[in-house]
Amino acid sequence: GESVGLHLPTLSVQEGDNSIINCAYSNSASDYFIWYKQESGKGPQFIIDIRSNMDKRQGQRVTVLLNKTVKHLSLQIAATQPGDSAVYFCAERGSNYQLIWGAGTKLIIKP
Amino acid sequence: DGGITQSPKYLFRKEGQNVTLSCEQNLNHDAMYWYRQDPGQGLRLIYYSQIVNDFQKGDIAEGYSVSREKKESFPLTVTSAQKNPTAFYLCASNDGGSGANVLTFGAGSRLTVL
């Protein structure tokens, strides 16, 4: 079946360093992927998305990379700030056009 | 400001009671969704509605019911048939259709069964 998973449940990064959050997906036919950020006690917020016809997409301080060969997705956050502390979710669009969510990675920023 | 309002933020329920969670949006979105979130897990889709007066079951619809009588509103009822209802419930919306995927979420409702 379709599933989305994450390599690490918790990532600890020094403030100012770059963060890389990884995500694996299982359906090679998935054509759309998305990243959300969820702060404690709040709803998820959209960060960035990417379609399968792209390998890379950049936003403000964030970059998403898609490697379709190994079915791997990553979110890079440049110059990590305290406000980046959150749980980050990747999701892929399933066969019924609904999103299939990973379990999330908690990003901890060390001062 | 446009957005999604969920209420109540916290809710306690005794076993055997039905509870209804409210979700209202003023984004003029056609589609609305309910997700359940458990600790350490991703979001799981309960129900979704692409248009008024129509809705579809998601992956974990058993023990839940919804209605979509107005475009702005998509209430979720957690029935006594739901065996493990304690969770964080998230409502979301978007423009719907196969091409629109970015969801806007509410702040969530945390339900605890005593």
Side-chain angles (χ1 to χ4, degrees):
Chain A
E2 297 171 327
S3 66
V4 179
L6 289 166
H7 294 306
L8 295 171
T10 302
L11 178 65
S12 188
V13 176
Q14 200 76 35
E15 182 179 349
D17 288 351
N18 297 337
S19 301
I20 300 176
I21 301 170
N22 296 304
C23 182
Y25 63 95
S26 60
N27 185 359
S28 57
S30 292
D31 65 349
Y32 177 83
F33 305 87
I34 194 166
W35 283 96
Y36 279 87
K37 170 187 179 183
Q38 186 178 26
E39 297 176 0
S40 182
K42 298 183 179 179
Q45 296 175 284
F46 168 75
I47 301 174
I48 193 167
D49 57 2
I50 188 168
R51 297 195 181 276
S52 59
N53 60 353
M54 302 173 69
D55 296 324
K56 178 180 180 179
R57 192 172 186 207
Q58 289 183 292
Q60 186 176 8
R61 274 202 312 120
V62 295
T63 300
V64 56
L65 298 177
L66 176 62
N67 185 331
K68 294 180 286 295
T69 302
V70 295
K71 292 185 286 188
H72 184 267
L73 190 69
S74 68
L75 177 70
Q76 299 179 3
I77 304 173
T80 310
Q81 303 169 357
D84 295 327
S85 292
V87 177
Y88 290 81
F89 292 95
C90 66
E92 64 177 310
R93 184 166 67 172
S95 57
N96 63 351
Y97 298 108
Q98 301 307 319
L99 293 175
I100 302 168
W101 296 74
T105 292
K106 184 175 183 179
L107 180 62
I108 298 171
I109 312 303
K110 296 182 289 186
Chain B
D1 289 338
I4 298 180
T5 301
Q6 291 187 240
S7 63
K9 189 168 180 62
Y10 300 96
L11 184 61
F12 297 89
R13 186 192 99 172
K14 293 182 180 179
E15 285 191 20
Q17 288 181 333
N18 293 353
V19 292
T20 297
L21 307 180
S22 171
C23 179
E24 302 280 332
Q25 55 101 357
N26 60 3
L27 300 165
N28 200 33
H29 283 164
D30 288 320
M32 298 186 73
Y33 307 78
W34 275 105
Y35 287 93
R36 171 180 171 139
Q37 186 174 32
D38 294 286
Q41 297 186 34
L43 279 64
R44 292 185 290 169
L45 184 62
I46 305 172
Y47 269 99
Y48 63 102
S49 168
Q50 300 278 22
I51 197 170
V52 175
N53 291 322
D54 189 38
F55 48 82
Q56 288 77 39
K57 293 182 178 180
D59 300 320
I60 56 165
E62 185 175 353
Y64 300 97
S65 66
V66 294
S67 62
R68 187 86 187 276
E69 297 176 1
K70 299 186 299 182
K71 186 176 184 178
E72 305 80 26
S73 180
F74 191 41
L76 173 74
T77 296
V78 184
T79 75
S80 57
Q82 170 51 238
K83 298 306 178 187
N84 185 22
T86 294
F88 190 50
Y89 291 89
L90 288 159
C91 180
S93 70
N94 66 9
D95 288 327
S98 60
N101 296 281
V102 178
L103 295 166
T104 300
F105 283 88
S109 292
R110 186 169 298 279
L111 172 63
T112 302
V113 174
L114 303 174

